[in-house]
Amino acid sequence: MLSVRELSAGYGRLRVIHNVSFNVPKGQVVAILGANGAGKTTLMRAILGQLPVEHGSIEFMGSDIVGRAPHKIVRDGLTLVPQGRDLFPGMTVRDNLEVAGLTVGKIRATREMCDEQFKIFPPLKARSSQRAETLSGGEQQMLAIARALMLQPKLLLLDEPTMGLAPLVVLELGRIIKLLISRGETIVLVEQNLGLALDVADHVYILREGHIAFDGLPGELRQKKDLIHYYLG
């Protein structure tokens, strides 16, 4: 579904990722791990067209998307839940969802999609009339994921969804991610939470200083504790 080949990108003259290659098959979860500053967020932003690509290719659903505008990439079915969640803080939970849904459907269909998200994220239903800024960190993260799902993505990019959240909230997000997997979602999970990533991923990559340092199965990484300590610290 997604094929990244020899990708290099960064900010102006500062190259952050170097010749990165990985694949995301349909219906699988690919985890991209790495310490702070490894280049994970830069990689996600480059894939979504938010940063210029210096070198390499990105194919999504068989089409080259390098140079394509971000809103067109999203319309094609590739959606990012960014760090920081990027919600509309003064709008209610329902309004945040409906604004996203209206980009792909009519009002009636959007309301039905909202109800579907409330089934996946029960805490949001109880807070549907609250402003997003009044939610807890975990609830805001749920809303960010729910809003992305309103776009009916073919591939969902989750950038550090558990960052800064309490352990019980991380467990709940893990349950939600597993539910999405059971529904057939294709996911790229960018994480520092090793336990969660290895629990849900079909394949794992480790980024270190902008390079792919590990490419393998979760079981292989579990057996290499020295590698985990060196690359994830």
Side-chain angles (χ1 to χ4, degrees):
M1 178 173 281
L2 179 69
S3 178
V4 176
R5 288 286 172 269
E6 300 294 322
L7 186 68
S8 297
Y11 304 86
R13 294 182 179 180
L14 176 63
R15 180 188 286 190
V16 178
I17 55 174
H18 311 267
N19 301 316
V20 168
S21 298
F22 68 96
N23 292 310
V24 183
K26 183 178 180 180
Q28 291 198 7
V29 178
V30 170
I32 299 179
L33 309 176
N36 285 332
K40 305 185 300 297
T41 293
T42 299
L43 176 59
M44 294 300 99
R45 293 189 64 197
I47 290 171
L48 202 67
Q50 295 175 343
L51 289 177
V53 170
E54 181 180 326
H55 173 75
S57 65
I58 307 169
E59 287 192 3
F60 177 59
M61 304 289 291
S63 298
D64 184 3
I65 60 173
V66 171
R68 191 172 297 179
H71 72 276
K72 293 183 178 179
I73 294 174
V74 171
R75 190 173 60 198
D76 289 341
L78 201 162
T79 301
L80 170 68
V81 180
Q83 283 190 46
R85 296 142 197 167
D86 201 23
L87 301 171
F88 297 112
M91 294 173 61
T92 67
V93 167
R94 182 176 286 276
D95 286 346
N96 266 274
L97 295 177
E98 289 186 350
V99 165
L102 285 173
T103 65
V104 295
K106 297 181 180 179
I107 293 177
R108 182 175 179 179
T110 296
R111 289 172 179 166
E112 292 173 353
M113 287 191 294
C114 278
D115 290 339
E116 179 65 22
Q117 298 313 312
F118 290 146
K119 291 178 184 177
I120 299 173
F121 305 91
L124 296 183
K125 183 176 182 179
R127 292 160 176 74
S128 62
S129 61
Q130 286 185 220
R131 296 192 310 275
E133 63 189 357
T134 68
L135 303 179
S136 68
E139 291 164 347
Q140 288 185 10
Q141 187 63 67
M142 292 180 194
L143 179 55
I145 297 173
R147 189 179 64 174
L149 292 174
M150 291 289 291
L151 298 172
Q152 300 179 324
K154 297 181 178 71
L155 173 58
L156 184 63
L157 308 176
L158 299 177
D159 189 3
E160 303 277 14
T162 68
M163 179 179 286
L165 300 181
L168 286 177
V169 180
V170 172
L171 286 175
E172 176 62 11
L173 283 175
R175 182 197 66 79
I176 290 167
I177 291 171
K178 290 176 183 177
L179 175 61
L180 297 179
I181 293 168
S182 72
R183 291 158 54 99
E185 298 285 350
T186 306
I187 298 173
V188 175
L189 175 64
V190 173
E191 260 297 341
Q192 290 190 58
N193 187 315
L194 182 65
L196 172 63
L198 295 184
D199 194 29
V200 301
D202 295 290
H203 202 95
V204 178
Y205 297 88
I206 294 178
L207 268 182
R208 180 176 172 83
E209 296 179 352
H211 298 272
I212 295 290
F214 175 84
D215 170 358
L217 300 176
E220 295 173 341
L221 186 56
R222 281 193 180 98
Q223 297 172 7
K224 299 181 178 180
K225 298 189 183 300
D226 55 338
L227 192 69
I228 292 172
H229 178 75
Y230 180 70
Y231 287 128
L232 303 177

